[in-house]
Amino acid sequence: MVPPENKAANPVLSAVSVLVLLSVLGVVLFVALRSPLKDDIAWLLYVARRWMAGKVLYTDLIEVNPPLIIWISAIPIALADWLRVDAQFVAIPFFIAAILTCNWWTTTLLRPYGGLFANRLPVFTLIATVFLVVPAGDLGQREHLLVAATLPYLVLFARRLDGHRLSIATTLAAGILAGLGCALKPRYGAAFAVLECVALANGLRPWRLLPIAAVTTMIGYAALVAVVCPAYLRQAIPMALALYGATDVTLPHLLSDCAALIAETTVACVLLWLRRRDMAEYKLMLTLMLFAATSTVVCLVTGKDWFYHRLPATIVTFLALILWAVSEAIRQRRTIRLPLLVATAAIAVFCVRSVQRMDPAVQEALTPRHTIDARLERLIRLEHAHTYVAFSEWLALGFPVVNETGVRWASRFDSMWALKGEVWRAGFDPTATRDWPIARWIANDFIAGCPDIAVVDTRETINYIKVLSRSDPAFTRLWSHYHPITAFGGLIVYHRDKHACRKVTIATASPGIKHLR
């Protein structure tokens, strides 16, 4: 039963909470709208726009993520076109609104616990601040949306462990939302599987409405993808399995990179164990820590050292530590003991690290014209370029540069990750290029697109121009008509001769993957 309104709630605390939330939201919006879009988000918005224009996903546009995030990204694109504004000024508020809506619903679902959660505004402010500040420049990433969509599920799961009765409508909605969140990154289904093992250990049956709704949503989504985007199952997944490993880092490197998260998760687990017998919110924190620990393992298994992969574990661990510290402070009242000091120190470390991660984005927001992205954009406009490509694994050289300038990207790939994967795979499997001749596909795209401007990243360990020249003599002939015009930041910018495309004989236009295979 939902407790009555907390009549003793301090109006000053509520007012301060609103002021803090508005201040944080204002800073985050300023930074996110003034600094360049995160490269992944910019690419997905570009893909969504091209898909809406008639291009075929996973054939004309190669992406390794399931299509749900592209379908979601199409919403702010459509709104931006309707409002006639830049997509960034719709996409960022759109993602923030979706996340804050999930945060508010989570806060509402916590109210039956009473006590700490009776006054919704301070609780909502804490949760929302964590969700807005921790991601820093990765705000709106798939993992960010995933954890926001999953949090209501985790709260209802914990309440069920505590014996609370759940309404059918609320349970169904939370299950569907969590299923959609997991559909963004299906590997996080492992966290739901671990939670169900705990549910079984606590005497709960597996055919409860909450997990059934989530699983049914995932199955329905998989069936929809198979019907609407069969190329994802037939081509994108096999390509990712074959080539994406080139971007992996070693386990020692990954453990070092995740050391702070692992340490903070361990601290939270130890604190939970210390209060396992007398913590009123024990099942809630247990649920959070199971999700966080499993998400950390997922990050390690994935093998990437990108921070946004750690967002689910980082955000949930942060929230769990805040929950434990506030609960302990209320329990001890005027007595402060070592565990509370440890929890406070861990929270302080989280805060400092979050501010440090946000600092580069703040600097870009304050001096946006000094970034590499801005220099490339100015150069493209100065040269009146209509087509553009960058030979680099660094996605940011292509996006958001393409989004901001409106040039046509002369490749079906977002960067050279696939070409790097082909070179890597050929090192131990020489027959791999028969299945995935990436160099030939990229060369064909380059010849067909005949970009006005091409950027070569000299910081790369692979000479992409040499690899592409070996794959297609026509690429070599066309590339001979490109001349360097400037260099900065390890990049060399090339401009094409005015009539080069007419001089190079092109036998056929660039076909799609389905024709090449």
Side-chain angles (χ1 to χ4, degrees):
M1 183 177 69
V2 177
E5 290 288 343
N6 184 9
K7 296 180 180 180
N10 189 338
V12 175
L13 179 60
S14 297
V16 170
S17 299
V18 172
L19 181 62
V20 169
L21 179 59
L22 291 177
S23 299
V24 171
L25 181 59
V27 171
V28 169
L29 276 172
F30 171 80
V31 172
L33 295 177
R34 286 275 298 172
S35 56
L37 267 173
K38 175 65 178 175
D39 47 12
D40 293 286
I41 297 174
W43 161 251
L44 290 169
L45 290 173
Y46 170 82
V47 171
R49 182 178 293 282
R50 299 292 288 166
W51 169 64
M52 293 169 67
K55 295 296 182 181
V56 180
L57 293 179
Y58 309 109
T59 298
D60 299 323
L61 301 160
I62 305 302
E63 170 59 35
V64 296
N65 286 287
L68 179 59
I69 186 60
I70 299 171
W71 298 340
I72 292 174
S73 299
I75 299 174
I77 288 293
L79 289 173
D81 289 346
W82 180 62
L83 295 171
R84 297 183 180 180
V85 298
D86 188 88
Q88 181 174 1
F89 292 96
V90 176
I92 295 298
F94 173 80
F95 291 136
I96 288 178
I99 288 165
L100 292 183
T101 299
C102 292
N103 293 164
W104 178 254
W105 188 29
T106 299
T107 303
T108 301
L109 295 177
L110 286 167
R111 288 190 66 223
Y113 279 106
L116 301 177
F117 307 106
N119 192 353
R120 282 186 289 186
L121 277 176
V123 177
F124 174 58
T125 297
L126 273 173
I127 295 175
T129 299
V130 170
F131 269 87
L132 290 173
V133 175
V134 170
D138 290 303
L139 189 146
Q141 282 279 21
R142 288 140 291 169
E143 287 80 0
H144 193 198
L145 300 175
L146 179 152
V147 68
T150 301
L151 203 55
Y153 182 101
L154 298 181
V155 171
L156 289 184
F157 181 89
R159 282 176 53 187
R160 191 68 186 88
L161 289 181
D162 280 320
H164 292 202
R165 295 179 63 87
L166 308 176
S167 74
I168 294 177
T170 300
T171 302
L172 188 62
I176 292 173
L177 183 62
L180 291 174
C182 191
L184 294 171
K185 287 284 184 175
R187 63 176 67 99
Y188 285 92
F192 292 90
V194 170
L195 289 175
E196 283 309 302
C197 292
V198 173
L200 284 172
N202 281 266
L204 296 180
R205 297 176 179 179
W207 47 85
R208 305 181 323 280
L209 180 59
L210 189 63
I212 286 176
V215 172
T216 302
T217 300
M218 285 289 291
I219 293 174
Y221 169 69
L224 180 64
V225 171
V227 173
V228 177
C229 295
Y232 174 71
L233 302 177
R234 188 174 61 250
Q235 296 177 149
I237 291 179
M239 181 188 296
L241 292 174
L243 306 178
Y244 215 43
T247 59
D248 287 355
V249 297
T250 62
L251 182 59
H253 175 93
L254 196 55
L255 288 172
S256 174
D257 211 45
C258 297
L261 173 60
I262 294 172
E264 289 154 348
T265 303
T266 302
V267 167
C269 290
V270 171
L271 293 173
L272 177 63
W273 183 82
L274 290 176
R275 289 284 309 279
R276 65 191 183 281
R277 300 186 187 281
D278 58 355
M279 184 178 182
E281 303 83 11
Y282 172 76
K283 294 291 178 63
L284 176 59
M285 186 168 175
L286 174 64
T287 301
L288 295 177
M289 290 317 304
L290 285 171
F291 180 87
T294 308
S295 297
T296 302
V297 174
V298 169
C299 292
L300 296 175
V301 172
T302 302
K304 315 296 182 187
D305 60 348
W306 304 323
F307 171 72
Y308 63 86
H309 280 196
R310 304 196 293 273
L311 275 179
T314 301
I315 289 176
V316 173
T317 300
F318 198 173
L319 291 174
L321 284 169
I322 293 173
L323 169 63
W324 193 95
V326 174
S327 176
E328 185 73 1
I330 292 175
R331 189 176 75 94
Q332 292 185 9
R333 296 184 183 275
R334 298 180 181 178
T335 305
I336 299 179
R337 297 177 182 174
L338 181 60
L340 182 56
L341 291 175
V342 172
T344 304
I347 293 171
V349 170
F350 261 119
C351 293
V352 171
R353 287 171 58 83
S354 298
V355 172
Q356 289 175 339
R357 279 192 298 269
M358 184 171 280
D359 184 63
V362 172
Q363 297 302 320
E364 288 185 342
L366 295 175
T367 57
R369 298 186 64 80
H370 296 291
T371 63
I372 289 180
D373 309 46
R375 294 186 68 175
L376 286 173
E377 290 166 18
R378 287 198 299 271
L379 184 61
I380 287 171
R381 292 188 179 102
L382 182 65
E383 296 292 329
H384 303 289
H386 298 287
T387 50
Y388 167 72
V389 76
F391 295 103
S392 174
E393 187 191 353
W394 188 21
L395 179 56
L397 295 184
F399 303 88
V401 174
V402 170
N403 308 67
E404 293 296 325
T405 58
V407 292
R408 182 163 54 87
W409 181 246
S411 177
R412 72 194 76 183
F413 295 93
D414 55 2
S415 68
M416 295 296 116
W417 70 265
L419 184 54
K420 180 178 180 179
E422 181 191 48
V423 174
W424 165 75
R425 181 71 183 269
F428 59 87
D429 182 9
T431 65
T433 55
R434 292 185 302 188
D435 296 322
W436 305 108
I438 305 298
R440 183 156 57 90
W441 297 344
I442 293 176
N444 286 340
D445 288 348
F446 183 85
I447 295 166
C450 201
D452 299 318
I453 296 290
V455 171
V456 175
D457 191 346
T458 62
R459 300 166 298 179
E460 294 275 0
T461 57
I462 298 175
N463 187 330
Y464 295 117
I465 303 302
K466 183 182 293 185
V467 173
L468 293 170
S469 296
R470 288 199 303 261
S471 71
D472 194 330
F475 174 88
T476 306
R477 292 195 299 272
L478 181 55
W479 183 252
S480 67
H481 294 279
Y482 282 78
H483 306 286
I485 56 175
T486 188
F488 54 87
L491 309 178
I492 301 178
V493 181
Y494 289 81
H495 187 276
R496 174 179 54 78
D497 291 343
K498 186 175 182 180
H499 301 294
C501 294
R502 298 178 183 177
K503 298 176 182 177
V504 177
T505 302
I506 303 174
T508 59
S510 173
I513 287 180
K514 59 186 178 183
H515 298 132
L516 285 168
R517 293 205 63 184

